[in-house]
Amino acid sequence: MWVEIICGLVIYKFVRRFFRDDEISDDETSDSTALFSVAHRLEKVYGGKAYVGLRIPDADTSSRQHIDLVLLTKGQVVVIGVKNVSGIVTVTSDGSWVCESGKHHTTQTYPDPLVEVKRQASVLESYLEQRSFPLLEENLSCKVVIPNPNFRTMHAFPSEVVTYEEWQHLKPVSPRNILSGWVKGALSCTGKEMHEFSHQKLNFILSTAPMWDRLELKSSKIVLGEFLEFRGKREDTLALKQIKRSKVDRISIQHTSILGFAPSRLQVVYSCRDYRSEGSSRSETKEVTVRSSTEVVFQLRDSTKIKKFKLSSLLSISLSA
């Protein structure tokens, strides 16, 4: 009997090792999930465009300033910090947030989020000036959004901080009453409307700004970080050698199966990056076929962790220039 159990465990581990899709914990994706959830809701409410996960060059520090979210509407550029904080938050004398959570009452300290997002707005403003698009002061603002329902505090925050209680009451508004109610107080877009050409140019600048790479998983999770390389059989990595961030902006994984069995090979369709114009144009696409066991090596955002994802577990990969 013990021999059967041991053999069963060995077979289980073998099957799990070679046929299981890669998994990533909810803790590792919760912040990214919150970012895209906030972005989607703001786009739905304001009809603008939200850019997630920007990495803007900061001339003062010779590094990149990580910006959670930039919302672009007809009259406003809003730099938004998303704090997916869960627990009881107290504010210290220097403005830092101390969050206590869990049954063991563990604490984590966050530097003043509002100071951080104002710094990010300043870096973005300088970046836009470098790309020949100076912004009027009235067209640039910043907010901190707290979308986590487990957020608790006894403190009163400045109007730039949108607490969960305020966030949950955000509703789509009609064009006739776009500044009514909570919207006017929390995320009002009161800047002077931009000329259509200026709006298109700003959209182009933000869409081509450095961003985190992203993986879209079959499990409906989105992971932000930096794509490093493909790994697998030599013939597969050679076939994928043409996929470089300087040439490619999006990769789609097409899954085909016969009679419900997992495919042994996958089609990798990639779109070539188009630098020719500021308008939207149809990108050239190419495709290669590789083994489903081929892996993507990816470093998670704000982490030293390097993870490997099988192509069979992915729907798409987006690469920043």
Side-chain angles (χ1 to χ4, degrees):
M1 178 179 176
W2 284 108
V3 173
E4 293 175 348
I5 293 175
I6 293 172
C7 289
L9 287 173
V10 170
I11 293 172
Y12 169 75
K13 285 183 175 293
F14 177 85
V15 171
R16 199 168 179 220
R17 169 78 171 84
F18 289 99
F19 296 102
R20 180 187 62 124
D21 280 345
D22 296 275
E23 294 181 357
I24 186 167
S25 69
D26 289 337
D27 288 341
E28 291 176 305
T29 60
S30 60
D31 288 344
S32 295
T33 300
L35 282 181
F36 285 96
S37 176
V38 169
H40 175 73
R41 195 173 185 194
L42 291 176
E43 286 181 336
K44 185 176 180 180
V45 169
Y46 293 102
K49 173 65 178 176
Y51 295 92
V52 178
L54 276 70
R55 306 173 69 193
I56 303 301
D58 183 353
D60 291 341
T61 61
S62 300
S63 61
R64 296 193 180 221
Q65 186 71 237
H66 300 163
I67 300 178
D68 287 340
L69 177 62
V70 175
L71 176 67
L72 174 62
T73 68
K74 289 289 185 180
Q76 194 83 355
V77 176
V78 189
V79 178
I80 299 171
V82 178
K83 286 299 177 187
N84 189 35
V85 179
S86 175
I88 301 173
V89 173
T90 56
V91 181
T92 64
S93 59
D94 66 354
S96 298
W97 293 8
V98 179
C99 179
E100 182 180 302
S101 62
K103 59 183 179 181
H104 299 295
H105 303 285
T106 56
T107 60
Q108 186 171 358
T109 302
Y110 302 89
D112 190 335
L114 189 54
V115 170
E116 284 192 333
V117 79
K118 286 180 178 179
R119 167 66 180 159
Q120 293 165 5
S122 176
V123 171
L124 178 64
E125 185 177 19
S126 298
Y127 175 75
L128 293 176
E129 288 179 359
Q130 292 171 8
R131 295 192 63 173
S132 303
F133 196 97
L135 269 179
L136 296 176
E137 184 177 346
E138 63 187 33
N139 290 122
L140 179 64
S141 63
C142 55
K143 298 286 180 180
V144 175
V145 173
I146 306 168
N148 197 311
N150 296 317
F151 172 84
R152 300 288 185 273
T153 188
M154 295 296 291
H155 291 266
F157 289 103
S159 60
E160 293 92 345
V161 177
V162 182
T163 63
Y164 175 73
E165 287 72 19
E166 295 171 316
W167 176 250
Q168 68 179 334
H169 290 103
L170 175 64
K171 297 178 180 179
V173 292
S174 66
R176 294 181 180 179
N177 200 23
I178 197 165
L179 296 179
S180 65
W182 176 85
V183 177
K184 186 174 182 180
L187 271 174
S188 60
C189 300
T190 56
K192 184 178 181 181
E193 286 201 4
M194 301 177 193
H195 189 275
E196 182 64 27
F197 174 77
S198 298
H199 188 262
Q200 289 180 1
K201 183 175 181 180
L202 187 51
N203 258 316
F204 174 75
I205 292 173
L206 291 175
S207 66
T208 56
M211 297 184 184
W212 287 109
D213 301 328
R214 67 187 68 174
L215 303 181
E216 183 183 3
L217 278 61
K218 289 170 64 177
S219 58
S220 299
K221 295 178 181 177
I222 297 178
V223 183
L224 294 179
E226 185 173 0
F227 167 80
L228 299 178
E229 63 176 343
F230 292 105
R231 282 186 188 172
K233 297 292 185 180
R234 186 171 184 274
E235 62 182 276
D236 293 329
T237 56
L238 286 175
L240 295 166
K241 195 174 182 179
Q242 295 301 314
I243 299 181
K244 300 177 180 178
R245 66 175 66 252
S246 60
K247 298 179 179 179
V248 174
D249 60 0
R250 182 173 172 81
I251 306 163
S252 298
I253 317 300
Q254 297 187 355
H255 302 261
T256 58
S257 61
I258 300 175
L259 299 178
F261 292 99
S264 60
R265 301 186 72 83
L266 301 171
Q267 283 185 317
V268 178
V269 181
Y270 55 96
S271 304
C272 298
R273 198 177 296 281
D274 188 358
Y275 295 99
R276 292 173 297 179
S277 67
E278 298 185 7
S280 59
S281 59
R282 298 183 64 180
S283 300
E284 178 187 3
T285 60
K286 298 180 181 180
E287 65 180 60
V288 295
T289 302
V290 298
R291 291 174 177 82
S292 59
S293 59
T294 305
E295 295 177 324
V296 170
V297 182
F298 200 79
Q299 181 169 354
L300 303 183
R301 183 187 77 149
D302 299 333
S303 172
T304 57
K305 286 186 178 181
I306 304 293
K307 292 191 72 74
K308 292 185 290 186
F309 298 85
K310 288 182 181 177
L311 280 180
S312 59
S313 71
L314 305 179
L315 293 176
S316 68
I317 307 170
S318 298
L319 300 177
S320 175

